[in-house]
Amino acid sequence: SLFRLKDLEVPKLGDCDVHVKMLAAPINPADINMIQGTYPLLSPLPAVGGNEGVGEVLEVGRRVTALKPRDWVIPADTGLGTWRTQGVFPEEMLLKVPSDIPVLCAATLSVNPCTAFRMLADFESLAPGDSVIQNAANSGVGQAVIQIARASGIKTINVVRDRPDLPKLVERLMALGADYIVTEEMLRKPEMKDIFKSIPRPRLALNCVGGKSTTEMLRHLQPKGTMVTYGGMAKQPVMVPVSAFIFRDVRLRGFWMTQWRKDHVQDQETMAEMMDTLCQLIRRGQLMVPACTEVPLQDYRAALEASMKPFVSSKQILLL
């Protein structure tokens, strides 16, 4: 067991520091990968886990201008260590978020919805009526893609793995605004053509699986379309038929939210615009918190175990 619950002293508040009482923090796949050491970011040990969450400002150092007590904050970058009840952080490591959105929405805002938002915005200029295809559609990012696309009039074709409770999953994704839901096996079937009688073929594919499902998804892209890979849950490479490159000139790109943040440190405007749009969607009920299970901090072991089970449809969120 790599994990222990420990009591630590809260450090003294420096002039540029912010004392934060954490409210809620999810367990994401990348958090687990960081702990396993299979992620490109390694924290110096001993470290506090968790890269995402929301907290309330208790006190600020005398040179802090952008934040005040009672404000809500989320991490500005990866590696903050959010699985704790309190912390003292430099001001620049925090982003203010409105406190009129549900606490679980704020706790899950900085990773999945941002990833979904950027991938929909940055690779193809999509217009209402266009379509997008994605695998792992029931993941946190997948659920956000469905809702953000829906709000912009973009149709989604959502690929999920076949499973015992498939009808229940289909119902849940439809309720979020999914237009089509297909299993990986259906991607190879002639019935796929029926979908494209009513909507155009996608110009954008979002992949976080790899292996066969990805190759099959690629076949449905429009010529000159883009496939963006942001994860590899099947732990298999992306295989592309040569013909897709030559005759359809498909583009393969990658996306990593952590890198995007690094590249946009100076560009506060783009960052603020994205957060603003997402918070508006949340307020209008167009972007819901992902299906989740709330777990008190002392039950963290059960939460970690649950988050690593196959076919998880619920995100574990630690209540702090």
Side-chain angles (χ1 to χ4, degrees), residues 40-234:
L41 294 176
L42 295 172
S43 302
L45 297 171
V48 178
N51 291 296
E52 186 178 38
V54 63
E56 183 183 334
V57 175
L58 294 177
E59 198 187 345
V60 299
R62 60 190 181 91
R63 296 182 42 201
V64 173
T65 51
L67 296 169
K68 56 185 191 309
R70 311 262 314 266
D71 282 350
W72 277 13
V73 288
I74 63 174
D77 204 352
T78 317
L80 191 68
T82 52
W83 300 344
R84 62 172 103 209
T85 54
Q86 293 189 22
V88 170
F89 309 106
E91 177 182 19
E92 71 270 11
M93 289 178 74
L94 302 167
L95 280 180
K96 181 176 167 175
V97 290
S99 53
D100 66 343
I101 61 175
V103 69
L104 296 183
C105 286
T108 52
L109 183 60
S110 63
V111 179
N112 295 337
C114 289
T115 301
F117 183 91
R118 295 271 49 110
M119 292 194 302
L120 287 169
D122 294 351
F123 294 93
E124 289 281 346
S125 44
L126 299 171
D130 282 345
S131 78
V132 173
I133 189 167
Q134 64 163 347
N135 54 25
N138 62 315
S139 66
V141 171
Q143 293 176 53
V145 164
I146 290 170
Q147 297 172 86
I148 296 166
R150 178 68 181 271
S152 329
I154 293 158
K155 307 287 182 197
T156 56
I157 303 162
N158 300 282
V159 185
V160 296
R161 286 183 297 173
D162 202 359
R163 61 192 64 213
D165 58 349
L166 187 64
K168 216 158 98 190
L169 176 62
V170 168
E171 196 180 320
R172 203 158 59 78
L173 296 182
M174 285 305 220
L176 290 181
D179 295 284
Y180 299 91
I181 299 166
V182 298
T183 61
E184 291 181 348
E185 293 70 38
M186 278 168 68
L187 281 175
R188 298 191 246 314
K189 303 255 167 75
E191 288 89 64
M192 282 300 289
K193 287 200 181 67
D194 296 341
I195 292 180
F196 302 121
K197 285 177 186 152
S198 34
I199 62 169
R201 284 185 176 271
R203 284 221 308 275
L204 180 65
L206 305 176
N207 164 47
C208 88
V209 179
K212 210 180 215 146
S213 120
T214 305
T215 311
E216 295 298 339
M217 191 167 71
L218 202 62
R219 290 184 202 286
H220 301 294
L221 263 191
Q222 270 188 40
K224 292 194 179 357
T226 305
M227 182 170 79
V228 182
T229 292
Y230 67 98
M233 287 158 73

Side-chain angles (χ1 to χ4, degrees), residues 29-51:
D31 302 330
I32 305 283
N33 297 147
M34 268 177 88
I35 292 152
Q36 292 165 337
T38 57
Y39 204 65
L41 294 176
L42 295 172
S43 302
L45 297 171
V48 178
N51 291 296

Side-chain angles (χ1 to χ4, degrees), residues 235-257:
K235 297 188 171 52
Q236 288 163 350
V238 169
M239 307 281 270
V240 182
V242 170
S243 59
F245 276 130
I246 300 175
F247 303 121
R248 293 197 296 122
D249 188 18
V250 297
R251 284 132 221 261
L252 298 195
R253 301 283 308 272
F255 182 78
W256 187 28
M257 192 64 216

